[in-house]
Amino acid sequence: MSGSERGLWLDDAAHREDLATFVDRAIRLDDTSVIRLRQRGDAQVVAWLATGFDVLASRVVGGRVNPADLSVGADALASALPSMDRSGFVDPGFAMDSAWRGMLPPESGFVHLDDVPARVVLDLAQRGVALAKEYGSAHGPPASLLDQEVVAVSSGDVGVGIPMRCVFALTAMGFLPQSATTDQFAPESVAADEVVRVRVLPTWLRVDARFGTVYRRRGDPAVVLR
């Protein structure tokens, strides 16, 4: 890769499939989604999505991107990924940097509060979907449901509530390692010892699952994400 050559280079087919899964989930949420690709260190690329839940979703893959911060259409990236050449090169399509609204959380500094069983997350998602069907509208689940804090996590004198928005974002992006099941929210579709890790900064909530991470701005996320 030359210093001036524009594009995305992935380490191997496994990382391409990981990114393709992330992009496919983004398109399912919104077929006009924009994916932001950012270089992390020398050998990792972080893919970012601003979900419709006012929650950011991210996944890390091995590779390089040039320029080091690039926003592209999810549909164009999805079309390009199967054509990755032997060098790992992918043409991500036209830059859409102006379409990305909002800032990203810092890469470091988060404090680990505690871990939550993944089965608890799926049980909450199951209940949330039932309530959304009962009380939702054509515009989706009511804001009161999305904003409801469904898990309280604390360590020492630091505590945070995890809103349903984060639960829905985790499950919609397929970040939990679930086995095949007729019910995508079935708690038993993940191992009993599988957990999600909860970390915080004063201005951000971060929830790490096996296949990706979601972030929620603490305070007024509308100012940041929309």
Side-chain angles (χ1 to χ4, degrees):
M1 169 179 125
S2 69
S4 60
E5 191 175 4
R6 177 185 178 281
L8 172 66
W9 289 259
L10 299 173
D11 285 352
D12 54 40
H15 290 284
R16 177 187 63 188
E17 293 305 314
D18 287 348
L19 182 56
T21 298
F22 179 89
V23 174
D24 177 66
R25 291 282 184 164
I27 292 172
R28 288 191 205 179
L29 285 175
D30 182 352
D31 59 10
T32 65
S33 290
V34 173
I35 304 294
R36 187 168 178 177
L37 303 169
R38 294 193 83 193
Q39 189 70 43
R40 176 184 289 177
D42 295 329
Q44 290 183 326
V45 174
V46 187
W48 292 91
L49 170 72
T51 72
F53 302 107
D54 280 342
V55 172
L56 293 173
S58 74
R59 177 146 193 177
V60 180
V61 294
R64 296 153 299 284
V65 63
N66 192 42
D69 190 346
L70 175 66
S71 295
V72 297
D75 54 351
L77 186 55
S79 298
L81 282 168
S83 302
M84 184 179 82
D85 66 20
R86 285 187 171 185
S87 72
F89 173 75
V90 175
D91 180 352
F94 294 109
M96 297 182 65
D97 296 336
S98 62
W100 183 275
R101 290 178 277 179
M103 63 184 294
L104 295 179
E107 292 186 3
S108 60
F110 284 87
V111 175
H112 175 218
L113 292 187
D114 204 354
D115 298 338
V116 176
R119 287 187 171 183
V120 169
V121 174
L122 286 172
D123 180 62
L124 290 167
Q126 202 170 46
R127 298 183 193 184
V129 167
L131 288 170
K133 288 179 179 178
E134 185 174 355
Y135 298 107
S137 67
H139 302 291
S144 58
L145 171 61
L146 294 174
D147 289 332
Q148 182 179 354
E149 294 183 348
V150 290
V151 179
V153 181
S154 62
S155 177
D157 58 354
V158 179
V160 69
I162 300 176
M164 185 61 80
R165 292 178 183 275
C166 290
V167 171
F168 280 160
L170 278 171
T171 53
M173 292 304 295
F175 285 165
L176 299 175
Q178 296 175 252
S179 60
T181 175
T182 54
D183 182 355
Q184 63 172 319
F185 302 114
E188 63 271 15
S189 65
V190 295
D193 60 352
E194 187 71 27
V195 298
V196 299
R197 182 150 290 178
V198 181
R199 296 183 171 97
V200 292
L201 281 173
T203 54
W204 288 94
L205 164 65
R206 169 179 171 175
V207 185
D208 294 301
R210 186 181 294 265
F211 296 142
T213 301
V214 298
Y215 296 81
R216 169 75 168 167
R217 180 78 170 176
R218 300 174 70 186
D220 185 1
V223 173
V224 179
L225 300 178
R226 285 284 179 258

